[in-house]
Amino acid sequence: MDYNQLFIQRCFELANMAAGKVTPNPRVGAVITYQNKIIGEGFHQYTGGPHAEINAINSLTDKSLLSKSKLYISLEPCNSFGKTPPCVDSILAHKIPEVFISLIDPNPLTMGQSIAKLKTAGVKIKVNILQKKGIKTAAGFFSTYQKGRPYVILKFAQSLNKKIGVADKQFWISNAYTKRLTHKWRSETTAIIIGSGTLAIDNPKLNNRLYFGKSPVKLLLKRHGYVAPNTAALHSEGRTIIICEPEAQTISYPNTTQWRFPFDENLLQKILQNLKNEGLNSLIVEGGARLMNSFIEQNLWDEARVFTGNKMINAANSISAPTILGQLTDTFQIGDNRLEIYKNRTSDELKYG
Ligand SMILES: NC(=O)c1ccc[n+]([C@@H]2O[C@H](COP(=O)([O-])OP(=O)(O)OC[C@H]3O[C@@H](n4cnc5c(N)ncnc54)[C@H](OP(=O)(O)O)[C@@H]3O)[C@@H](O)[C@H]2O)c1
């Protein structure tokens, strides 16, 4: 790994400190170096707050060094007035002579324009550094621009004989480590959804309790609208949304709303559209099989994270795991669980180079 990659890698680490906190914006980190030593760092910490490169610039006590320094950023600086002024102007104002960028911004208001502006002003630019890694810090952001919907992750655990559970009781496949990893994923994702079968059998809390950072917005699919007051997800951290039919029963619990849609073939599209409208740009589907199979059948998924345990489930009422016909991108052994990560081959890939 050369210095440029090393400093961009540090930008990703900084970016990830804002997991779940900056939606609908991407996580972004920035590093300022002088003579190949880091002299300033920053990341976009909260929606509406200063962007990563501004925080990195402000972290320097001696700003006179900026005109001799290099700036590394995980995403192209913005070129427009949003909640903050354009970062590209700040870079020019501080006369930073060299800028290194991982990803080009997919927002049409920027999309290469900041890079062009910096080049025109004589700034040396290098882009597309470790962009395949970089996209992981901004997949939801890219997905809303390029696919018009949140980035969708399917996550499940299956037994050795590819069952996800039994129809009438909870069956644990994951271990303490994979459970914690799942909570990390929850912290990185803006919304989480389960079907009514999983709600009835597992009654999960759905929040992030085992990792630092935020919990996702919890979506419960419940056709008739009613969920019992002692439902665990209603009492865990974060907002809950019950997705039900238009004529479903109205319920009013604290921090809980209902989204009403016909339960037809457009249901998942409508849920994704509403998430996007609310600035929630990533969704993790945590079961069960019926709900995940619907996302698969409609080709509304981007990535699948599949744990395989070392136990068999042989009960007559066992439920088959979804079949993922994706491209296997990574495999990890975590205690007695094997984790396989697939990406969807048939959905358009995010373009980031
Ligand atoms: N191993 C794992 O990772 C894992 C994870 C989660 C759950 N589980 C297990 O999985 C089992 C539950 O799975 P499941 O497949 O029976 O249930 P599920 O997918 O959780 O829920 C199925 C129900 O959700 C509604 N639904 C799902 N997709 C829909 C769609 N596209 N449109 C409309 N409604 C939809 C329907 O409700 P209505 O019937 O009311 O219309 C359907 O009956 C439990 O045993 C649980 O323990 C395992």
Side-chain angles (χ1 to χ4, degrees):
M1 200 179 258
D2 64 21
Y3 272 116
N4 291 344
Q5 291 181 341
L6 197 67
F7 294 134
I8 284 289
Q9 175 64 40
R10 177 64 187 152
C11 291
F12 300 154
E13 287 169 13
L14 290 162
N16 286 335
M17 289 173 80
K21 295 182 186 154
V22 292
T23 187
N25 297 341
R27 293 173 244 159
V28 185
V31 158
I32 297 168
T33 69
Y34 176 65
Q35 296 179 341
N36 281 336
K37 287 201 179 70
I38 293 178
I39 57 166
E41 289 188 336
F43 64 99
H44 181 38
Q45 297 182 13
Y46 57 93
T47 311
H51 289 180
E53 47 278 60
I54 305 304
N55 281 333
I57 289 170
N58 288 341
S59 75
L60 256 72
T61 37
D62 180 5
K63 299 227 178 7
S64 69
L65 281 178
L66 284 169
S67 60
K68 297 175 251 177
S69 298
K70 294 177 180 177
L71 170 65
Y72 293 82
I73 333 170
S74 57
L75 183 77
E76 178 180 8
C78 70
N79 183 39
S80 56
F81 280 90
K83 293 191 173 76
T84 58
C87 294
V88 67
D89 292 348
S90 192
I91 295 169
L92 289 172
H94 286 99
K95 300 189 170 24
I96 299 173
E98 281 187 74
V99 176
F100 299 80
I101 296 166
S102 176
L103 301 162
I104 298 171
D105 193 326
N107 179 347
L109 292 174
T110 298
M111 211 192 268
Q113 293 177 47
S114 295
I115 292 168
K117 197 167 176 179
L118 291 168
K119 273 187 188 157
T120 306
V123 176
K124 267 176 80 179
I125 297 271
K126 191 167 179 350
V127 294
N128 292 335
I129 305 166
L130 296 182
Q131 72 271 37
K132 205 172 163 184
K133 270 194 180 171
I135 193 70
K136 293 186 180 160
T137 61
F141 181 67
F142 274 65
S143 180
T144 49
Y145 280 106
Q146 295 180 0
K147 300 189 175 195
R149 62 159 173 80
Y151 188 79
V152 176
I153 301 161
L154 308 178
K155 177 254 148 184
F156 61 91
Q158 61 184 2
S159 64
L160 258 188
N161 56 338
K162 296 195 187 320
K163 306 286 183 183
I164 65 154
V166 269
D168 55 1
K169 64 170 193 282
Q170 190 170 25
F171 190 98
W172 278 105
I173 295 167
S174 48
N175 61 40
Y177 305 105
T178 55
K179 203 170 168 203
R180 190 174 293 259
L181 180 58
T182 299
H183 282 231
K184 177 177 184 286
W185 293 341
R186 288 179 180 178
S187 80
E188 295 165 350
T189 313
T190 58
I192 185 168
I193 187 168
I194 55 163
S196 56
T198 302
L199 185 64
I201 302 298
D202 297 355
N203 190 21
K205 294 190 181 75
L206 297 177
N207 65 333
N208 161 33
R209 302 178 298 285
L210 301 175
Y211 205 74
F212 59 86
K214 285 189 75 166
S215 290
V217 172
K218 298 157 286 177
L219 272 58
L220 313 177
L221 209 54
K222 202 74 179 47
R223 182 185 290 270
H224 304 298
Y226 179 77
V227 292
N230 61 354
T231 299
L234 298 177
H235 303 283
S236 62
E237 186 202 347
R239 185 176 153 213
T240 306
I241 298 167
I242 295 162
I243 295 160
C244 54
E245 290 185 314
E247 59 281 3
Q249 179 178 347
T250 299
I251 53 146
S252 51
Y253 294 132
N255 212 9
T256 303
T257 44
Q258 286 173 303
W259 284 356
R260 295 170 181 276
F261 305 116
F263 269 42
D264 59 18
E265 66 283 359
N266 297 318
L267 177 64
L268 300 186
Q269 291 273 15
K270 291 211 173 109
I271 294 170
L272 293 176
Q273 186 60 47
N274 254 36
L275 287 170
K276 182 182 167 228
N277 294 347
E278 294 222 358
L280 299 168
N281 61 23
S282 54
L283 174 70
I284 191 157
V285 186
E286 282 209 15
R290 164 100 194 270
L291 181 59
M292 269 184 289
N293 281 326
S294 307
F295 277 92
I296 293 168
E297 280 154 24
Q298 295 184 35
N299 205 23
L300 291 173
W301 66 283
D302 299 289
E303 194 181 318
R305 301 174 182 175
V306 182
F307 292 112
T308 305
N310 63 357
K311 296 180 196 131
M312 303 285 279
I313 299 182
N314 291 317
N317 58 351
S318 62
I319 300 172
S320 295
T323 304
I324 303 292
L325 297 172
Q327 180 190 338
L328 182 65
T329 58
D330 282 300
T331 309
F332 306 91
Q333 189 66 37
I334 307 173
D336 62 2
N337 277 195
R338 191 175 71 249
L339 167 62
E340 289 172 338
I341 314 263
Y342 295 87
K343 73 175 180 194
N344 188 342
R345 277 202 196 101
T346 53
S347 169
D348 288 342
E349 275 208 55
L350 297 176
K351 294 175 220 39
Y352 48 81

